[in-house]
Amino acid sequence: MSTEATPAAADVEMYDADNPAPVIEAPRKRTKKTPKSTRTNFEMYGWLFMRLSGIVLVVLVLGHLLIQLVLDGGVSKIGFAFVAGRWASPFWQAWDLIMLWLAMLHGANGLRTVINDYAERANTRFWLKMLLYTATVFTVLLGSLVIFTFDPNIS
Amino acid sequence: MSTAIEDKVEAASKASPYITVTFRVRRFNPEVSAEATWQDFQVEIDPKERVLDGLHKIKWDLDGSLTFRRSCAHGICGSDAMRINGRNRLACKTLIKDINPEKPITIEPIKGLTVLKDLVVDMEPFFQAYRDVMPFLITKGNEPTRERLQSAEDRERFDDTTKCILCAACTSSCPVFWNDGQYFGPAAIVNAHRFIFDSRDEAGEQRLEILNDKDGVWRCRTTFNCTDACPRGIEVTKAIQEVKRALITRRF
């Protein structure tokens, strides 16, 4: 009555009761030692930051895209003069600065959770996060430097 | 007219309720092979019976080596959570007719836990997370001579999470748990919720602190897999969000 869908694979190694095949364990299994209480609120603040910065970014980014791509001639108007004109106003400087910081930190924190979830080995996780943090710090600092030291009369 | 009804009844009693259903079971036996394979079983079964009855027929009549857990067989003990047609369910609460018996019914062990044999998994990491949230009443001071009384409203606050039977259907449907077994998992948080919001319990703060950990509630991505999987209909994701809210309102 029963039919085998797949015939038992002929293993090169033979397993029996005394010599069972190794079971496939979860890569990062929870054990008695696992809960190392971190005693900080870092993850909570991270979670809150994602929600709050997300709300602000919706306004900032959509406004940015609207100004850059839709209003007043669209993308073709963007040039050195356009940027110089906007950054003459402290309002647009602040807008771009806040957008830069929030977007970078929001994205970096999101990628951090992705790395935490998906990287299996502790070493891989560590180095991927170091790469991420380096890239984030570099971009944020470079962007801030440009916004603050922008010289419209550069030759 | 009466003869027509009689004919109908006779025809119905003659027609067998049994249909032939294919059960496609994920088999793994470390004493035979390191590979898990699919095996098909044809079973004559009444579609009003449950998947567990089909597994019993296979184990008792076709292949005694089929290994699975079941205890009460009535949806209370939580032993027979398995992945049926790609969804976590209790085999004892899933009727054959509800999951399209025309096609083969696939039965796999729940994911994210080590498979020991066929449908049996190592539940230890799951119960370790459960123990870590201290799922027992903690109080201070002298023990009262009477019962610890509670109003109906106070009881209602955590009623939903008292229904958990620890079947692991939610935890083993959670993608964060699959990727990273360090996460407490929905079941442990549900059982922490049951005590955190119990007016008689006095260790809510301690439990919140445990779940504030980096592997605690903040790893929840609200995918609602746990709520979908729960055979008891617990609003698992809602419970997790309530713990998050309690953590935030406690601080601010």
Side-chain angles (χ1 to χ4, degrees):
Chain A
M1 213 164 158
S2 85
T3 50
E4 297 241 340
T6 41
D11 287 339
V12 182
E13 301 161 85
M14 293 304 286
Y15 297 105
D16 54 42
D18 300 321
N19 179 32
V23 289
I24 301 162
E25 293 201 4
R28 294 165 74 195
K29 207 167 152 182
R30 190 180 187 89
T31 60
K32 262 197 174 71
K33 290 174 192 159
T34 297
K36 302 153 232 115
S37 187
T38 41
R39 285 269 158 201
T40 65
N41 293 325
F42 180 76
E43 291 295 332
M44 184 182 79
Y45 290 125
W47 187 89
L48 263 180
F49 171 76
M50 291 304 267
R51 269 77 201 158
L52 300 177
S53 64
I55 295 168
V56 179
L57 276 171
V58 166
V59 178
L60 290 180
V61 172
L62 288 184
H64 179 80
L65 290 177
L66 193 73
I67 293 161
Q68 303 277 318
L69 305 179
V70 180
L71 298 181
D72 204 16
V75 71
S76 56
K77 69 172 183 291
I78 298 178
F80 188 84
F82 177 76
V83 175
R86 278 185 79 212
W87 277 354
S89 147
F91 175 78
W92 294 116
Q93 273 192 331
W95 180 299
D96 281 2
L97 192 72
I98 294 167
M99 190 167 68
L100 168 76
W101 277 74
L102 287 185
M104 282 309 292
L105 293 181
H106 186 98
N109 194 30
L111 262 180
R112 184 183 68 90
T113 59
V114 170
I115 292 170
N116 275 340
D117 279 354
Y118 283 90
E120 270 178 28
R121 294 198 324 232
N123 250 337
T124 321
R125 209 157 53 240
F126 175 80
W127 286 112
L128 280 176
K129 280 198 268 186
M130 281 305 123
L131 184 70
L132 171 70
Y133 296 155
T134 315
T136 308
V137 169
F138 176 77
T139 314
V140 166
L141 288 184
L142 184 69
S144 307
L145 186 77
V146 169
I147 291 174
F148 280 122
T149 63
F150 180 73
D151 178 10
N153 301 318
I154 199 164
S155 55
Chain B
M1 183 169 169
S2 67
T3 50
I5 292 174
E6 270 165 32
D7 284 353
K8 222 177 186 179
V9 169
E10 207 172 327
S13 66
K14 263 184 204 158
S16 165
Y18 290 89
I19 57 168
T20 304
V21 178
T22 306
F23 285 84
R24 186 162 288 168
V25 186
R26 191 77 173 156
R27 304 291 308 265
F28 171 69
N29 185 352
E31 294 178 3
V32 173
S33 167
E35 302 294 323
T37 51
W38 292 101
Q39 188 176 355
D40 281 10
F41 296 96
Q42 311 280 339
V43 179
E44 295 276 310
I45 198 165
D46 186 334
K48 292 189 290 297
E49 287 191 278
R50 307 158 301 168
V51 171
L52 184 66
D53 298 313
L55 290 175
H56 278 152
K57 274 183 206 273
I58 294 169
K59 186 168 177 70
W60 293 339
D61 302 338
L62 300 178
D63 185 349
S65 71
L66 179 70
T67 311
F68 56 90
R69 285 198 185 102
R70 77 102 171 83
S71 301
C72 75
H74 291 85
I76 293 299
C77 70
S79 300
D80 63 350
M82 48 190 79
R83 204 170 156 83
I84 299 165
N85 278 357
R87 282 185 55 191
N88 284 1
R89 317 173 206 234
L90 295 183
C92 58
K93 282 184 83 173
T94 310
L95 299 186
I96 302 285
K97 69 181 174 64
D98 292 338
I99 51 171
N100 189 12
E102 313 281 305
K103 286 187 185 167
I105 295 169
T106 63
I107 300 174
E108 298 162 77
I110 47 178
K111 282 178 164 240
L113 295 161
T114 304
V115 180
L116 299 177
K117 190 181 177 187
D118 292 346
L119 303 174
V120 173
V121 297
D122 177 14
M123 298 278 276
E124 188 48 34
F126 172 78
F127 285 121
Q128 185 59 50
Y130 175 58
R131 282 193 292 268
D132 286 341
V133 299
M134 305 189 294
F136 37 81
L137 187 79
I138 300 174
T139 56
K140 294 189 210 79
N142 295 331
E143 200 154 313
T145 49
R146 320 174 47 214
E147 300 94 329
R148 295 174 195 277
L149 294 179
Q150 184 172 46
S151 71
E153 293 76 52
D154 283 347
R155 177 63 177 71
E156 188 58 35
R157 180 68 193 82
F158 61 92
D159 185 65
D160 200 32
T161 44
T162 60
K163 297 172 189 162
C164 179
I165 55 173
L166 292 171
C167 65
C170 57
T171 295
S172 62
S173 73
C174 173
V176 180
F177 186 79
W178 294 338
N179 293 326
D180 179 35
Q182 310 284 301
Y183 175 47
F184 275 89
I189 298 171
V190 158
N191 284 281
H193 177 284
R194 184 246 171 276
F195 286 100
I196 289 168
F197 293 96
D198 187 338
S199 61
R200 298 163 296 187
D201 187 80
E202 289 168 59
E205 187 66 20
Q206 246 173 297
R207 294 196 183 85
L208 285 174
E209 197 50 59
I210 290 168
L211 292 177
N212 195 24
D213 190 74
K214 64 177 163 55
D215 297 312
V217 286
W218 307 114
R219 303 209 66 170
C220 171
R221 306 277 182 269
T222 50
T223 57
F224 284 90
N225 280 17
C226 45
T227 306
D228 286 344
C230 182
R232 306 281 295 166
I234 301 172
E235 293 175 288
V236 184
T237 314
K238 187 180 169 200
I240 299 174
Q241 304 322 305
E242 283 176 356
V243 174
K244 281 184 189 170
R245 183 179 297 168
L247 270 164
I248 289 173
T249 51
R250 187 180 64 138
R251 292 287 194 291
F252 298 104

